[in-house]
């Protein structure tokens, strides 16, 4: 049993940081919220209705970035983003290039991702957050492999997304220094079972 008696409600403008030691169920909870796993008991609701009954609605409203970068090594940074954006809202080439510039990858648009460092690959994945897309961001360890400047930039961007009515649910072992007004933390390591 990872967790039980877990009840929470999230609204636009909020950021929920799911904390806890390794093995406490952080990624499992995110996978449940993203519809990638089904709960063994209870239910998850989206806009008051069971999630299982509205997969298409969830797909339109959710951007998932997992612990792994989730990009294809043989594709370029631009090709990866074009492919990933096609899942929600196709992006123009200029928008993709601007998103890559926003994460510090100007000049790497046509570089195959397998030649990039782990931090650069993470930045390619995170460039999706700078493109038009879904309002709900579910992010599993988004700060992995990022340098201090990239961490600060991502913290600010996540907060701005919440301030503009977006919703962020994330796991991280990183201590956030910038938090939106609607910040909450759920520590799975301190919940009684």
């Amino acid at each position: 049993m990872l967790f039980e008696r877990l009840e929470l409600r999230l609204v636009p403008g909020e950021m929920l940081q799911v904390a806890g030691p390794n093995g406490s169920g952080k990624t499992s909870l995110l996978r449940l919220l993203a519809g990638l796993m089904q709960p063994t008991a209870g239910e998850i609701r989206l806009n008051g209705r069971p999630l299982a009954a509205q997969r298409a609605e969830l797909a339109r409203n959710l951007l998932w970035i997992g612990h792994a970068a989730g990009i294809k090594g043989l594709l370029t940074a631009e090709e990866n983003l074009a492919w990933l954006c096609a899942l929600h809202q196709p992006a123009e080439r200029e928008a993709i290039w601007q998103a890559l510039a926003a994460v510090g990858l100007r000049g790497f648009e046509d570089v195959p991702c397998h030649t990039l460092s782990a931090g650069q690959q993470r930045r390619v994945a995170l460039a999706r957050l700078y493109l038009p897309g879904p309002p709900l961001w579910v992010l599993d360890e988004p700060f992995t492999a990022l340098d201090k400047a990239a961490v600060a930039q991502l913290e600010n961007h996540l907060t701005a997304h919440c301030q503009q009515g977006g919703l962020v649910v994330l796991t991280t072992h990183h201590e956030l220094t910038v938090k939106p007004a609607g910040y909450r933390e759920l520590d799975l390591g301190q919940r009684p079972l």
Side-chain angles (χ1 to χ4, degrees):
M1 175 82 62
L2 288 176
F3 42 78
E4 63 181 350
R5 295 185 303 273
L6 181 61
E7 184 174 333
L8 58 106
R9 178 182 171 91
L10 302 171
V11 298
E14 290 186 328
M15 175 188 289
L16 176 68
Q17 179 180 351
V18 181
N22 292 340
S24 63
K26 299 181 302 292
T27 296
S28 294
L29 178 58
L30 264 58
R31 292 178 62 78
L32 287 165
L33 295 175
L36 300 172
M37 289 174 47
Q38 299 301 311
T40 56
E43 74 180 348
I44 299 167
R45 295 178 164 266
L46 176 64
N47 298 323
R49 298 189 351 250
L51 185 64
Q54 49 182 336
R55 296 262 181 230
E57 182 73 14
L58 178 64
R60 282 191 298 275
N61 287 293
L62 173 81
L63 175 66
W64 163 269
I65 299 179
H67 183 70
I71 57 175
K72 306 291 183 192
L74 293 178
L75 298 180
T76 66
E78 178 184 349
E79 291 167 337
N80 266 290
L81 289 175
W83 180 78
L84 290 166
C85 288
L87 299 172
H88 295 288
Q89 180 178 346
E92 299 291 328
R93 184 177 202 196
E94 182 60 32
I96 290 172
W97 282 36
Q98 288 176 2
L100 288 168
V103 295
L105 292 177
R106 181 178 303 270
F108 290 88
E109 298 88 356
D110 295 324
V111 176
C113 286
H114 70 87
T115 66
L116 300 176
S117 71
Q120 289 171 321
Q121 289 181 24
R122 172 58 67 179
R123 288 176 189 225
V124 171
L126 293 172
R128 294 170 62 196
L129 303 177
Y130 291 84
L131 291 162
L136 170 57
W137 296 351
V138 178
L139 312 172
D140 192 6
E141 298 290 346
F143 300 100
T144 299
L146 296 181
D147 60 31
K148 287 182 181 182
V151 166
Q153 179 185 7
L154 180 56
E155 282 189 12
N156 287 319
H157 190 63
L158 296 177
T159 295
H161 180 67
C162 292
Q163 290 169 340
Q164 295 166 3
L167 178 62
V168 176
V169 180
L170 75 152
T171 64
T172 182
H173 292 285
H174 166 75
E175 183 66 36
L176 296 174
T177 58
V178 178
K179 301 172 185 172
Y183 172 84
R184 296 189 309 175
E185 183 177 314
L186 171 65
D187 190 337
L188 295 177
Q190 296 191 13
R191 290 186 42 79
L193 291 180

